[in-house]
Amino acid sequence: MLQEKRPSPTPSKDDISEPGMRIVSSTIDPTQTGLTGFAKFKDSFRRAHVEDIGVDPNISEAEKIAILTANSPLARKLKNRHLQMIAIGGSIGTGLFIGSGSALATGGPAGLLIGYILIGTMIYCTVQSLGELAVTFPISGAYVTYNSRFVDPSWGFAMAWIYALGWLITLPLELVAASLTVKYWDQDTNSAAYVTAFFFFIIAINFFGVRGYGEAEFIFSLIKVLAVCGFIILGIVLITGGGPQGGYLGGRYWHIEGAPFPNGFKGVATVFVGAAFAFAGTELCGLAAAESANPKKSLPKACKQVFWRITLFYVISLTLVGMLVPYNNERLLGTSSVDITASPFVIAIQNGGISGLPSVMNVVIMIAVLSVGNSSIFASSRTLAALAASEQAPKILGYIDKKGRPLVAIAVQLLTGFLCYLAATPKQGEVFGWMLALSGLSSLFNWASINMCLIRFRRALKVKGRDTSELAFASQPGLIGAYWGVSLIFVIVCLQFWIAIFPLNGKPNVEAFFETFLTVPVVFLFYFGHKIYTRNWIFYIRAKDIDVDTGRRETDLDLVKQELAEEKAYIKSLPFYKRVYNFWC
């Protein structure tokens, strides 16, 4: 069916493409009737049926990407509860439970809090920016393709690939971390044995498709949330002297020699990369928008939940950790090889004299680590599939089967996962450090880009004489939050450059520089490589040329405005406490 957009500031349901384009809606071929058992299972791996999409070859690359990624056969099976738990517990893993130990040793209890709180404010603004874009455009690849659409195709290419690489590396990283947690009970067995078991467990989950990922993350996140809440209650009891050993702790460890800033400003600056890694995955709820049954309803709530995760799970729990564990404890990760597997959460419980609970907490840490590893397959495979759909990666990576699984992209991630066997080497600590640095900075670049996309999107709306009244969800901090996110990340990257040249407690050396700043040259390699290959030397898309319509599920903007006005009127009629609840939840 031929569909063309009529010039109008408020397009109707039929207005889905720019002039000069021909697009036919994509559909998934239903599973063949009559197939049962193994035959039906085998048939599910066949490529999903997608009708031909004709695109005018004379349009710009950004316009082509917008059209191609808006027509993906990914399955829309994620429910509201899935997105809620992905948002609340999606990034509670290695960074919080294990990486926070290194941050405490480096930055001290005060530096730990400052680093995580500043990163937390930026994450809140970023997820709000992402929520506005993802609710409006729930397309394949989400924010990794927004860069090509709202900023520049070369920048979008660089950001998508660095994001995919970050998650490709995260899987073996999390498997290594899982094997380290097992060493709490078993120091003798080779780490490769545990890595293999965890690897096959994650593979099994992801072959159930997006619904399998959603259900697994729902269970994993629920366990993590309950564990952190339990630790907060226990931590308060121990600090006030209610533990088996008794004795009021209060802020004793904030007053020992060297605390609260054992390494001064440089120590605090060093915490930022670890904090960025800890929050990696917060944006997954936006990536899942294309596979959500109703992103307009579920995604805004998921984005609002980030505030509670930052406050409860990071700020409160790490405040308690700083009061329960001295920064100079030899067992903290990065301070000694005596017990590299120890988590500050486990140390806190052990120091309180509680037997049994440290093992329980270590089980929770292992589940959290596997959860992030599971999320890495989801994130990298969807990103690679979006790159293939936008013709920025080999076409085979865009193979999506009848169950909505990007099979080839998943296979690439699983092959990369074999790097996890580096855990069996004596250099596993160094491997952990290299992977942590690369993943952390890749997240920073992508978070900055999300905010840049919102800034450009809002600018395009203004130039076209439109505003946020046509958006089903608008970012609560708005443009101020987006500018804050970009500015803070710029400052953090500059600080990391300083740390890379003059490392903490060390002399300048090439290895330390690249271990801290490896992501930056890789980003520029992708960016300028794409510029040279495409010979496109336009560095940003002009606001008047930005497409703000393709990819919307609700294209009748007059109807959207009417629904929003009715919703606002209803909320305004509610009691004050319900309005407050609706704002934050």
Side-chain angles (χ1 to χ4, degrees):
M1 180 179 179
L2 213 25
Q3 297 178 332
E4 294 184 358
K5 180 180 175 182
R6 300 178 298 277
S8 171
T10 56
S12 67
K13 292 182 180 179
D14 294 330
D15 299 330
I16 61 173
S17 60
E18 293 294 332
M21 297 185 189
R22 179 177 61 81
I23 176 170
V24 184
S25 60
S26 61
T27 58
I28 302 178
D29 187 25
T31 305
Q32 297 179 16
T33 58
L35 295 178
T36 58
F38 180 75
K40 185 176 181 180
F41 172 75
K42 181 180 178 181
D43 184 69
S44 71
F45 289 92
R46 296 183 183 275
R47 184 189 289 269
H49 174 67
V50 182
E51 294 182 7
D52 180 51
I53 298 177
V55 180
D56 189 335
N58 297 318
I59 64 175
S60 69
E61 184 178 0
E63 291 173 313
K64 188 197 311 184
I65 290 172
I67 289 292
L68 293 173
T69 55
N71 292 270
S72 171
L74 292 172
R76 298 174 179 177
K77 294 185 176 180
L78 288 178
K79 298 181 179 179
N80 181 45
R81 63 184 178 88
H82 294 139
L83 284 183
Q84 291 291 324
M85 294 310 292
I86 290 172
I88 294 174
S91 65
I92 300 177
T94 310
L96 176 63
F97 289 127
I98 298 178
S100 59
S102 176
L104 177 60
T106 303
L112 174 69
L113 282 179
I114 291 173
Y116 275 76
I117 289 174
L118 283 177
I119 293 289
T121 60
M122 178 271 295
I123 286 293
Y124 174 72
C125 295
T126 301
V127 173
Q128 287 282 325
S129 297
L130 174 60
E132 177 176 321
L133 294 170
V135 170
T136 308
F137 308 101
I139 60 177
S140 172
Y143 46 86
V144 294
T145 58
Y146 294 153
N147 293 299
S148 297
R149 182 171 180 170
F150 300 122
V151 182
D152 171 55
S154 296
W155 184 252
F157 176 81
M159 288 299 97
W161 272 107
I162 201 66
Y163 185 75
L165 287 176
W167 280 112
L168 284 170
I169 290 172
T170 297
L171 176 59
L173 168 63
E174 298 301 326
L175 291 171
V176 169
S179 70
L180 293 180
T181 62
V182 176
K183 284 185 175 294
Y184 177 79
W185 300 288
D186 185 0
Q187 293 282 345
D188 301 324
T189 304
N190 194 303
S191 298
Y194 294 109
V195 163
T196 302
F198 296 143
F199 199 9
F200 279 98
F201 174 66
I202 290 178
I203 290 174
I205 290 174
N206 280 271
F207 272 101
F208 282 99
V210 68
R211 186 65 179 271
Y213 163 74
E215 294 294 349
E217 282 306 299
F218 180 82
I219 296 171
F220 289 158
S221 296
L222 185 60
I223 293 173
K224 292 185 288 185
V225 167
L226 292 175
V228 173
C229 290
F231 175 81
I232 290 173
I233 295 171
L234 176 62
I236 294 173
V237 171
L238 293 176
I239 290 170
T240 55
Q245 295 183 347
Y248 176 77
L249 281 177
R252 179 185 305 172
Y253 294 140
W254 281 64
H255 298 286
I256 61 177
E257 184 179 357
F261 299 103
N263 293 292
F265 178 73
K266 184 176 284 190
V268 178
T270 306
V271 171
F272 285 126
V273 168
F277 173 80
F279 283 105
T282 308
E283 72 287 343
L284 284 175
C285 59
L287 190 65
E291 296 173 77
S292 170
N294 189 357
K296 179 181 175 182
K297 178 181 178 182
S298 56
L299 196 53
K301 289 184 176 294
C303 292
K304 292 176 183 179
Q305 297 290 341
V306 172
F307 172 80
W308 298 108
R309 177 172 53 183
I310 293 170
T311 304
L312 295 176
F313 303 144
Y314 283 91
V315 177
I316 295 179
S317 62
L318 292 179
T319 299
L320 296 175
V321 163
M323 299 175 74
L324 291 167
V325 181
Y327 80 91
N328 55 3
N329 187 295
E330 292 184 350
R331 295 170 58 195
L332 291 175
L333 180 62
T335 59
S336 172
S337 60
V338 175
D339 189 6
I340 197 171
T341 67
S343 156
F345 288 77
V346 175
I347 296 172
I349 296 173
Q350 287 178 328
N351 290 348
I354 302 175
S355 59
L357 268 184
S359 292
V360 174
M361 195 66 197
N362 218 51
V363 170
V364 173
I365 293 171
M366 185 169 63
I367 291 173
V369 167
L370 292 175
S371 170
V372 178
N374 181 45
S375 296
S376 70
I377 296 183
F378 175 82
S380 64
S381 62
R382 271 58 180 181
T383 303
L384 291 174
L387 279 165
S390 58
E391 300 179 355
Q392 293 182 326
K395 189 175 181 180
I396 188 63
L397 290 174
Y399 184 100
I400 298 175
D401 68 11
K402 292 183 178 182
K403 291 291 185 181
R405 297 169 297 202
L407 285 182
V408 177
I410 290 175
V412 170
Q413 169 69 91
L414 296 179
L415 287 174
T416 309
F418 284 114
L419 289 172
C420 63
Y421 289 105
L422 292 172
T425 70
K427 299 290 186 179
Q428 60 184 9
E430 295 181 19
V431 171
F432 187 94
W434 277 90
M435 290 181 176
L436 182 69
L438 180 58
S439 298
L441 283 183
S442 68
S443 296
L444 286 172
F445 273 94
N446 275 281
W447 292 333
S449 295
I450 289 170
N451 288 304
M452 286 170 59
C453 287
L454 182 77
I455 293 170
R456 297 298 299 157
F457 172 61
R458 290 284 189 95
R459 175 61 181 167
L461 283 178
K462 184 177 181 180
V463 167
K464 296 174 188 291
R466 296 156 67 174
D467 56 34
T468 57
S469 64
E470 67 181 50
L471 304 180
F473 173 71
S475 167
Q476 291 170 329
L479 285 175
I480 295 176
Y483 279 114
W484 165 249
V486 172
S487 301
L488 182 60
I489 291 172
F490 176 76
V491 171
I492 291 172
V493 171
C494 291
L495 288 175
Q496 291 311 310
F497 182 73
W498 173 49
I499 297 297
I501 297 178
F502 304 102
L504 184 67
N505 300 326
K507 297 180 179 180
N509 64 81
V510 176
E511 181 180 353
F513 177 83
F514 283 107
E515 186 173 344
T516 305
F517 218 63
L518 181 62
T519 306
V520 177
V522 175
V523 167
F524 284 110
L525 178 65
F526 278 122
Y527 178 73
F528 287 108
H530 187 269
K531 285 289 183 190
I532 294 170
Y533 180 77
T534 61
R535 298 179 181 178
N536 175 16
W537 296 102
I538 298 175
F539 292 97
Y540 69 95
I541 303 172
R542 298 181 66 180
K544 68 182 183 66
D545 297 325
I546 293 176
D547 178 8
V548 295
D549 293 315
T550 302
R552 296 194 184 207
R553 286 193 193 173
E554 292 85 10
T555 54
D556 189 339
L557 300 186
D558 290 330
L559 179 61
V560 171
K561 290 180 179 180
Q562 180 182 344
E563 292 175 348
L564 290 174
E566 292 173 355
E567 182 181 353
K568 289 179 180 178
Y570 170 72
I571 294 174
K572 191 175 181 179
S573 68
L574 295 174
F576 175 74
Y577 72 93
K578 287 188 177 182
R579 296 201 302 270
V580 172
Y581 175 83
N582 182 78
F583 181 83
W584 291 112
C585 300

